[in-house]
Amino acid sequence: PTDIRGGIILGLLVFFVNWEKAEGFESYYMSTTYLSLKLFCSGTIILLLNPQPRPVTPTFTQNALLWGLIWGCVQGSRWFNDLGSFSATVSTNNAGVVFASDRGDTILNSYVLVCIHNFFHSLVTNLPFVAAFVRLILGFVVVLLFRLVVKSGTIMLLSKMFNINVKPKLLAEDYVAMKKKNDDLKEKAKRKGRVLRKHVVRLFTRDIDIVGNAIVKVATYTITAMGIAFIVPVVLEIAGLGQH
């Protein structure tokens, strides 16, 4: 099958390119300026060049999802690297938690946070295996909450402010008319002895829902990946579950 052959070729290509260029790419995005802008522009160009066959296939939305993951991982890794070494300790007067990093100290004044930090810190010290399990579960919860909030917020924002319906409902009469049009095109092509090829369109056409789907996918999985690469380690450290 074509998918298997194409997957093997692409997989080998990515493997060898990564083998040769991974260190150079990492050093570039760890030091370059305006990283967010560069990621946004490159991702937009890639998605604009992605064709949209008819009938619609999941290829485009999957590419938007993958680009969101790449963007989030790269940006999150850069923020994590810029943060440097960090640790969280309870302040001397037990009024809050002090988060110290190479970029400075931040005091989070909350007695509840102090209690949480002390509890989980003692858990890490006395029951490390239990602490590892709690760390895993808490990390999953934070990431899933990010995904839920960002996806719901993005869909609502597009719907309310820009009137973009990400998941439009197809009425019965619209479906009948679309099916009849497709059947007529097939019959016309058959009479002329030609093979009917799927019409290909691109973004910013009448299918504005395609743009909406791309925005939702990219935003959701960018924030999710940022959470995994940057936000979750910081949250776990402040909660007393860090590995520093």
Side-chain angles (χ1 to χ4, degrees):
T2 304
D3 289 346
I4 295 178
R5 293 196 299 269
I8 292 173
I9 294 172
L10 287 175
L12 291 174
L13 180 63
V14 170
F15 173 78
F16 287 114
V17 170
N18 180 72
W19 182 274
E20 291 292 329
K21 303 297 182 181
E23 292 184 2
F25 177 70
E26 183 177 356
S27 62
Y28 170 77
Y29 77 73
M30 285 297 183
S31 59
T32 185
T33 56
Y34 304 108
L35 177 62
S36 298
L37 180 61
K38 292 175 181 177
L39 289 170
F40 172 78
C41 292
S42 57
T44 301
I45 293 172
I46 290 172
L47 293 180
L48 284 173
L49 294 175
N50 196 312
Q52 270 296 307
R54 290 295 180 269
V56 177
T57 66
T59 306
F60 176 75
T61 53
Q62 288 175 352
N63 288 339
L65 182 155
L66 291 173
W67 178 250
L69 290 175
I70 293 172
W71 187 353
C73 288
V74 171
Q75 187 68 69
S77 299
R78 171 65 182 271
W79 286 343
F80 189 86
N81 183 73
D82 290 346
L83 193 63
S85 60
F86 58 88
S87 62
T89 56
V90 175
S91 60
T92 54
N93 58 357
N94 287 327
V97 175
V98 180
F99 181 78
S101 70
D102 293 347
R103 302 179 70 89
D105 297 350
T106 302
I107 301 177
L108 306 171
N109 291 316
S110 172
Y111 179 72
V112 176
L113 189 58
V114 170
C115 295
I116 293 173
H117 180 90
N118 287 334
F119 172 77
F120 284 128
H121 185 70
S122 64
L123 193 67
V124 170
T125 304
N126 300 316
L127 298 170
F129 292 106
V130 176
F133 178 75
V134 173
R135 186 187 298 117
L136 177 65
I137 298 300
L138 184 58
F140 270 119
V141 170
V142 173
V143 169
L144 290 176
L145 283 176
F146 278 148
R147 183 182 181 278
L148 178 63
V149 171
V150 173
K151 184 175 182 179
S152 302
T154 307
I155 291 175
M156 184 177 65
L157 182 68
L158 292 175
S159 176
K160 299 296 184 182
M161 296 188 64
F162 301 101
N163 198 28
I164 297 178
N165 193 357
V166 177
K167 295 182 179 180
K169 294 181 179 179
L170 188 64
L171 299 178
E173 54 268 26
D174 295 333
Y175 177 79
V176 173
M178 183 178 66
K179 187 174 184 303
K180 184 177 184 303
K181 182 179 179 181
N182 289 338
D183 292 340
D184 291 342
L185 288 174
K186 290 179 181 179
E187 184 63 28
K188 184 177 180 181
K190 185 177 179 181
R191 287 198 303 267
K192 292 185 177 181
R194 295 184 302 179
V195 177
L196 181 63
R197 299 186 181 275
K198 295 178 181 177
H199 182 54
V200 176
V201 298
R202 299 183 185 277
L203 288 179
F204 302 120
T205 64
R206 293 180 181 178
D207 298 312
I208 194 67
D209 56 290
I210 297 175
V211 181
N213 272 292
I215 294 173
V216 171
K217 291 290 186 183
V218 172
T220 300
Y221 288 94
T222 296
I223 299 299
T224 301
M226 284 181 182
I228 295 171
F230 174 70
I231 300 173
V232 168
V234 173
V235 170
L236 292 177
E237 183 67 31
I238 293 174
L241 282 166
Q243 295 177 320
H244 285 68

